[in-house]
Amino acid sequence: MKIKIISWNVRGLNARDKRVIVKVLLKGWRADVVCLQETKLKEATTEVVKEIWGSWWVDWIHLNAVGASAGGGGGGGGGGVVG
Protein backbone atom coordinates (compact mmCIF):
# COMPACT_ATOMS: atom_id res chain seq x y z
CA MET A 1 0.00 0.00 0.00
CA LYS A 2 1.39 3.39 -1.02
CA ILE A 3 0.56 6.49 1.00
CA LYS A 4 0.40 9.78 -0.89
CA ILE A 5 1.60 12.79 1.12
CA ILE A 6 1.33 16.39 -0.10
CA SER A 7 3.21 19.29 1.49
CA TRP A 8 2.21 22.66 0.03
CA ASN A 9 3.00 26.32 0.79
CA VAL A 10 -0.40 27.79 -0.09
CA ARG A 11 0.54 31.41 0.75
CA GLY A 12 -2.78 32.21 2.37
CA LEU A 13 -6.22 30.65 2.65
CA ASN A 14 -8.31 33.57 3.86
CA ALA A 15 -9.91 34.21 0.46
CA ARG A 16 -12.82 31.89 -0.29
CA ASP A 17 -11.86 31.72 -3.98
CA LYS A 18 -8.41 30.40 -3.07
CA ARG A 19 -9.92 27.76 -0.77
CA VAL A 20 -12.10 26.56 -3.67
CA ILE A 21 -9.03 26.22 -5.92
CA VAL A 22 -7.13 24.33 -3.21
CA LYS A 23 -10.11 22.02 -2.68
CA VAL A 24 -10.37 21.19 -6.40
CA LEU A 25 -6.64 20.44 -6.65
CA LEU A 26 -6.59 18.31 -3.49
CA LYS A 27 -9.56 16.30 -4.73
CA GLY A 28 -7.75 15.59 -7.99
CA TRP A 29 -4.52 14.61 -6.25
CA ARG A 30 -6.32 12.14 -3.93
CA ALA A 31 -3.75 12.43 -1.12
CA ASP A 32 -3.86 10.48 2.12
CA VAL A 33 -2.04 13.15 4.14
CA VAL A 34 -1.97 16.87 3.36
CA CYS A 35 0.28 19.48 5.00
CA LEU A 36 -0.59 23.09 4.17
CA GLN A 37 1.96 25.70 5.21
CA GLU A 38 1.68 29.50 5.34
CA THR A 39 -2.11 29.42 5.52
CA LYS A 40 -2.15 32.90 7.11
CA LEU A 41 -5.23 31.78 9.06
CA LYS A 42 -5.38 33.23 12.54
CA GLU A 43 -7.40 30.18 13.52
CA ALA A 44 -8.25 27.12 11.44
CA THR A 45 -11.86 26.34 12.24
CA THR A 46 -13.49 22.99 11.61
CA GLU A 47 -15.68 24.58 8.93
CA VAL A 48 -12.70 26.01 6.99
CA VAL A 49 -10.73 22.75 7.15
CA LYS A 50 -13.67 20.64 6.06
CA GLU A 51 -14.50 23.12 3.30
CA ILE A 52 -10.96 22.74 1.92
CA TRP A 53 -10.83 18.97 2.36
CA GLY A 54 -14.27 18.48 0.84
CA SER A 55 -15.46 16.02 3.46
CA TRP A 56 -16.73 16.02 7.03
CA TRP A 57 -14.71 12.86 7.67
CA VAL A 58 -11.27 14.34 8.23
CA ASP A 59 -8.94 14.57 11.20
CA TRP A 60 -6.71 17.64 11.38
CA ILE A 61 -4.46 19.78 13.52
CA HIS A 62 -3.52 23.47 13.24
CA LEU A 63 0.00 24.46 14.23
CA ASN A 64 0.71 28.13 14.93
CA ALA A 65 3.75 29.76 13.37
CA VAL A 66 6.86 29.91 15.55
CA GLY A 67 9.91 32.14 15.22
CA ALA A 68 10.78 35.34 13.38
CA SER A 69 8.13 34.91 10.69
CA ALA A 70 5.33 34.24 13.18
CA GLY A 71 3.38 37.34 12.32
CA GLY A 72 5.68 40.23 13.28
CA GLY A 73 6.42 43.02 10.82
CA GLY A 74 7.98 40.60 8.35
CA GLY A 75 4.70 39.58 6.71
CA GLY A 76 5.18 35.84 7.14
CA GLY A 77 3.74 33.30 9.52
CA GLY A 78 0.22 32.12 9.81
CA GLY A 79 0.83 28.51 10.73
CA GLY A 80 -0.33 25.49 8.85
CA VAL A 81 -2.90 22.73 8.74
CA VAL A 82 -2.19 19.00 8.64
CA GLY A 83 -5.08 16.76 7.66
Side-chain angles (χ1 to χ4, degrees):
M1 173 185 204
K2 290 187 177 183
I3 296 175
K4 186 183 266 189
I5 300 172
I6 294 176
S7 179
W8 185 9
N9 181 340
V10 292
R11 298 185 187 142
L13 286 177
N14 286 307
R16 185 167 178 79
D17 291 345
K18 182 131 184 207
R19 291 195 303 264
V20 169
I21 292 168
V22 169
K23 176 183 176 180
V24 168
L25 291 171
L26 289 177
K27 185 175 183 177
W29 292 333
R30 300 180 50 89
D32 300 299
V33 177
V34 176
C35 304
L36 303 176
Q37 293 86 35
E38 299 292 333
T39 64
K40 310 286 192 220
L41 296 170
K42 294 195 185 307
E43 181 181 0
T45 64
T46 301
E47 290 77 20
V48 168
V49 171
K50 291 180 180 181
E51 174 188 346
I52 294 166
W53 192 252
S55 170
W56 288 96
W57 306 105
V58 61
D59 195 11
W60 61 277
I61 184 170
H62 177 255
L63 303 173
N64 291 322
V66 177
S69 66
V81 177
V82 178

